[in-house]
Amino acid sequence: MSTYLSDNYAKFFMDLAPNNNSEWFNINRKRYENDVKIPFQKLVGDLVQKLAEVDNNLTGLKPSDCIFRINRDIRFSKDKTPYKLQMSAAIAPGGRKNMSYPGFYFEATPEGINIYGGVYMAEKQQLENLRNHIAANLKKFETLLNETAFKSHYNGEILGEKQSRLAPELKEAAAKQPLLFNKQFYFKASLDESVLTKDNLPEILCEYFVAARPVSRFLADGL
């Protein structure tokens, strides 16, 4: 049996998908507790400990600081299904509530694990600071994106929505580095379902954290 997520983890969400209502969930709440909630808490707890050895800014974080609720926020959504079809966690100073800091986010779905890092929700001043930081360090930024570890784990790609206009003083730098037009600076990796039940899952996730760390630190400095 897996140390963390068993086959029953994926099975719960596969069964939930066509039965996404509170009646079904309440009937299957024991399954959720035993096969999903408790194993995921253990996974995140062990992962946080490993990441704190690499980044002491993460020392003292608890799983409850990082894990998102399974309940969806349906207040402003046309989709009124009440539950998410995965568990997810954001590991950063301040946990899941710190949405601007370039932390480490992952979600475990029945299809596998998606990993995200970088800057996703920067405030206006933070975005201005970050762009100026990149413009002033174009060569270093390019070097970090082309480091072997980052390229092999994240394809060396920075993703995110763009805007059409920039401050005039950034146009020259943007001609050399078009990513300055980004409003978001995040990166992503996807692992298939075979990784879900591996006993060394925290080590695998930690490897992705370490591969992203130079880029994450550069972005954090810019904010």
Side-chain angles (χ1 to χ4, degrees):
M1 184 167 176
S2 171
T3 305
Y4 300 101
L5 309 182
S6 70
D7 290 335
N8 290 336
Y9 176 91
K11 183 68 166 61
F12 175 84
F13 287 110
M14 292 169 69
D15 291 344
L16 172 61
N19 299 286
N20 200 328
N21 59 74
S22 57
E23 182 180 5
W24 185 92
F25 192 89
N26 287 331
I27 292 171
N28 290 273
R29 186 172 294 275
K30 203 69 176 176
R31 283 181 64 192
Y32 166 68
E33 295 282 342
N34 293 335
D35 297 337
V36 176
K37 184 178 179 179
I38 294 172
F40 194 76
Q41 285 175 337
K42 177 174 172 53
L43 169 63
V44 173
D46 287 358
L47 177 60
V48 166
Q49 284 191 333
K50 287 189 174 298
L51 299 191
E53 294 172 5
V54 179
D55 184 348
N56 57 19
N57 289 317
L58 304 176
T59 302
L61 275 180
K62 303 185 294 291
S64 58
D65 299 324
C66 305
I67 297 173
F68 290 90
R69 298 175 68 222
I70 192 172
N71 302 76
R72 295 179 62 249
D73 184 352
I74 60 175
R75 290 173 299 172
F76 308 108
S77 175
K78 291 182 179 179
D79 179 1
K80 297 301 181 182
T81 51
Y83 304 107
K84 301 171 187 174
L85 299 179
Q86 78 279 328
M87 293 297 287
S88 58
I91 302 172
R96 66 183 183 279
K97 295 181 180 179
N98 191 350
M99 297 299 289
S100 61
Y101 187 88
F104 185 79
Y105 170 89
F106 77 98
E107 56 189 24
T109 78
E111 292 77 30
I113 292 182
N114 297 314
I115 299 167
Y116 297 85
V119 176
Y120 192 72
M121 294 180 68
E123 297 174 0
K124 184 178 180 181
Q125 186 60 54
Q126 290 178 318
L127 181 58
E128 182 180 330
N129 294 345
L130 181 52
R131 284 175 170 156
N132 288 332
H133 180 63
I134 293 172
N137 298 277
L138 289 177
K139 187 173 181 180
K140 182 178 180 180
F141 186 51
E142 186 71 26
T143 298
L144 291 174
L145 297 187
N146 283 287
E147 282 192 349
T148 300
F150 188 72
K151 289 192 75 171
S152 63
H153 289 79
Y154 299 99
N155 297 317
E157 290 183 332
I158 297 290
L159 308 170
E161 294 182 9
K162 299 180 182 294
Q163 62 186 50
S164 57
R165 296 181 181 180
L166 277 181
E169 62 269 21
L170 291 175
K171 288 185 177 179
E172 183 178 345
K176 300 175 183 177
Q177 179 49 269
L179 285 171
L180 283 171
F181 282 97
N182 278 36
K183 294 188 289 184
Q184 302 164 316
F185 295 81
Y186 70 90
F187 40 89
K188 176 186 178 182
S190 294
L191 310 177
D192 67 30
E193 67 273 10
S194 66
V195 77
L196 283 172
T197 56
K198 289 187 179 295
D199 290 336
N200 65 335
L201 187 50
E203 287 83 2
I204 294 171
L205 293 171
C206 187
E207 178 185 315
Y208 278 80
F209 176 84
V210 171
R213 185 155 163 73
V215 173
S216 296
R217 291 176 69 179
F218 178 87
L219 296 174
D221 289 343
L223 292 175

